Amino acid sequence: MGVFSIAHQHNLLLVWTRRFNKPASISRVGSQFASHHVSATLLCPEDSSINPVVKRQRRVLNTSSVQHKRVASDGWQKHDRSVQSKTWKSEIPVLQRPYQRKGGDSRVSSELRRLSLDDFPEEKERMVGQRSTLDSKAENYEVVFGIAPCLLALTQGRRQARRLFVKDGEASHRASVIQVCEEAHGRGVQVQRVSKKDLDKMSWGRVHQGVCLQASPLGYLTEDRDSAPNRGDAPLWLVLERIQDPMNLGAILRSAYFLGVDRVLSSLRHSCPLSPVVSKASSGIMEVIGVYGYENLEDMLRSKVAQGWQVVGTVGAEAEEETQIPVTQCSDFQMTKPTVLLMGGEGEGLSQQLLSLCQTLLTIPAGRELFPGIESLNVSVATGILLHSLLTSRRSTR
């Protein structure tokens, strides 16, 4: 009995020892496998359909080997992900990618990219040059953005186009984007695919519609560059004084072109430049219609009055009793001879110097009683209404 008791106790001790050690080993393997499965799912989503329970059952059979492999695998994954993230952030996509996979992820590891470029030194030199091209001569170029501004900038030929940047991805397959790319290619302008983040930086976060054009800037025209003859009946010129909001200027140019204004003029001082923002706000009309700039609008207006032109200004309804100049509602005015319409800037309106040269002041009647502080219209809206009224009266008096 004593011998059997000692042997029996020894066996019980072995059984309890195995039961005590085995769950800890299994739980450790299970936790490591769970971590590995989450990492594998993120890195290789195509393998996420595999049942993790089956994997766990297979790996529990060989505990030591699984533990060793998991530690090495986790370390490789963390290192690889950090390398890939740094590589992807520093990449600048280009138009031609001979090593890009079709229909899948276009990201390429730094090792593969380096080997590909080492095999083609000319391609490597070209890519390095492209990365610094946008900043190398930034003082001589600006970035036009948007479908219509880029297309009209290419077709009108008033700018010197240097490079067209197109958003990489499905957006480049739109018919409008393809048309811009074809125009650029036909004129020898290089086309380069870039990311949306790059286009956002080029366009200062504004709506670029997937295209940006690096081109020479546009400026105001001068009188000696005028080669267009006046209309035979009664031309209409639009004079803008101190328009400072580029969105307003763009909207005014769009209305003036659509309605048939013969010329647009602007003061150079205290006026916004003809920037890409103005071009986008005008839907590209700034690329078509020339805007003449004047240091002194008074001298130009006096010369037009001496030639028999009438100068028409604008005034709000509340200022009708404060002026000695005749005030007429725009719907009652008849345009029978060459006319210059003056529009003042936001807030202050026309200066006293230009108001003194006006022969008639036009006003837009309100359709209801207005609350104090909102008695006026936006300058671009008021310009559209007045231009439509004047040009309609010109057609009716022919």
Side-chain angles (χ1 to χ4, degrees), residues 281-297:
S282 68
S283 191
I285 298 302
M286 192 190 83
E287 311 295 329
V288 179
I289 184 174
V291 183
Y292 291 82
Y294 287 84
E295 290 287 350
N296 193 330
L297 289 174

Side-chain angles (χ1 to χ4, degrees), residues 207-373:
V207 180
H208 49 69
Q209 298 175 298
V211 291
C212 288
L213 178 66
Q214 188 181 18
S216 59
L218 280 183
Y220 289 96
L221 303 178
T222 56
E223 186 68 25
D224 55 0
R225 293 183 59 182
D226 177 25
S227 59
N230 292 329
R231 296 174 59 94
D233 45 5
L236 174 63
W237 285 14
L238 174 63
V239 174
L240 307 175
E241 184 190 27
R242 299 181 298 187
I243 302 295
Q244 300 179 358
D245 190 338
M247 304 300 291
N248 282 335
L249 179 57
I252 290 173
L253 294 180
R254 187 172 184 177
S255 298
Y257 178 80
F258 180 84
L259 295 173
V261 172
D262 298 286
R263 180 176 295 188
V264 179
L265 308 89
S266 174
S267 60
L268 293 178
R269 290 180 293 179
H270 307 293
S271 298
C272 67
L274 299 180
S275 65
V277 179
V278 177
S279 183
K280 183 64 171 65
S282 68
S283 191
I285 298 302
M286 192 190 83
E287 311 295 329
V288 179
I289 184 174
V291 183
Y292 291 82
Y294 287 84
E295 290 287 350
N296 193 330
L297 289 174
E298 298 178 48
D299 294 341
M300 184 273 299
L301 292 176
R302 289 192 179 94
S303 65
K304 289 301 175 185
V305 171
Q307 297 173 11
W309 288 52
Q310 60 180 347
V311 179
V312 178
T314 55
V315 67
E318 72 282 355
E320 293 185 20
E321 301 177 357
E322 302 177 1
T323 179
Q324 302 298 324
I325 304 174
V327 178
T328 305
Q329 292 188 3
C330 61
S331 57
D332 297 333
F333 182 80
Q334 294 295 320
M335 180 178 165
T336 58
K337 59 181 181 178
T339 303
V340 177
L341 174 64
L342 308 183
M343 297 298 300
E346 303 88 350
E348 299 180 0
L350 290 173
S351 63
Q352 292 297 325
Q353 291 80 1
L354 295 191
L355 278 175
S356 62
L357 299 176
C358 294
Q359 301 159 350
T360 303
L361 296 178
L362 299 182
T363 182
I364 302 174
R368 59 168 50 153
E369 185 177 354
L370 304 176
F371 286 101

Side-chain angles (χ1 to χ4, degrees), residues 1-14:
M1 289 295 293
V3 176
F4 174 77
S5 177
I6 293 175
H8 180 68
Q9 291 178 2
H10 181 69
N11 292 333
L12 290 177
L13 181 60
L14 291 176

Side-chain angles (χ1 to χ4, degrees), residues 43-44 70-82 84:
L43 294 176
C44 303
R70 291 280 65 77
V71 173
S73 177
D74 291 342
W76 174 84
Q77 290 169 1
K78 293 179 181 178
H79 174 72
D80 183 69
R81 279 180 288 177
S82 63
Q84 286 183 353

Side-chain angles (χ1 to χ4, degrees), residues 1-145:
M1 289 295 293
V3 176
F4 174 77
S5 177
I6 293 175
H8 180 68
Q9 291 178 2
H10 181 69
N11 292 333
L12 290 177
L13 181 60
L14 291 176
V15 172
W16 280 107
T17 303
R18 292 175 181 175
R19 291 184 178 180
F20 180 77
N21 294 331
K22 188 175 182 179
S25 177
I26 293 176
S27 62
R28 182 168 30 173
V29 175
S31 63
Q32 291 177 356
F33 171 74
S35 175
H36 164 72
H37 177 68
V38 174
S39 301
T41 303
L42 294 176
L43 294 176
C44 303
E46 64 274 8
D47 297 334
S48 60
S49 60
I50 300 177
N51 190 351
V53 177
V54 178
K55 288 185 176 182
R56 184 184 295 112
Q57 292 176 353
R58 293 177 180 176
R59 283 169 170 78
V60 168
L61 298 178
N62 192 345
T63 303
S64 61
S65 62
V66 171
Q67 292 177 353
H68 177 73
K69 291 180 180 179
R70 291 280 65 77
V71 173
S73 177
D74 291 342
W76 174 84
Q77 290 169 1
K78 293 179 181 178
H79 174 72
D80 183 69
R81 279 180 288 177
S82 63
V83 172
Q84 286 183 353
S85 63
K86 293 179 181 178
T87 302
W88 297 343
K89 290 181 181 179
S90 62
E91 288 179 358
I92 299 180
V94 293
L95 177 60
Q96 297 179 351
R97 297 179 179 178
Y99 39 76
Q100 179 176 347
R101 292 180 293 175
K102 296 182 179 179
D105 194 352
S106 60
R107 299 166 179 167
V108 181
S109 66
S110 58
E111 292 79 9
L112 180 57
R113 179 180 291 274
R114 179 175 55 81
L115 292 174
S116 300
L117 294 180
D118 289 341
D119 294 337
F120 302 93
E122 295 180 358
E123 176 73 6
K124 180 178 180 179
E125 183 179 357
R126 185 181 66 85
M127 288 184 61
V128 172
Q130 285 179 349
R131 293 183 180 181
S132 59
T133 298
L134 185 58
D135 298 330
S136 61
K137 298 181 179 180
E139 66 278 5
N140 299 327
Y141 294 90
E142 63 184 10
V143 177
V144 183
F145 56 93

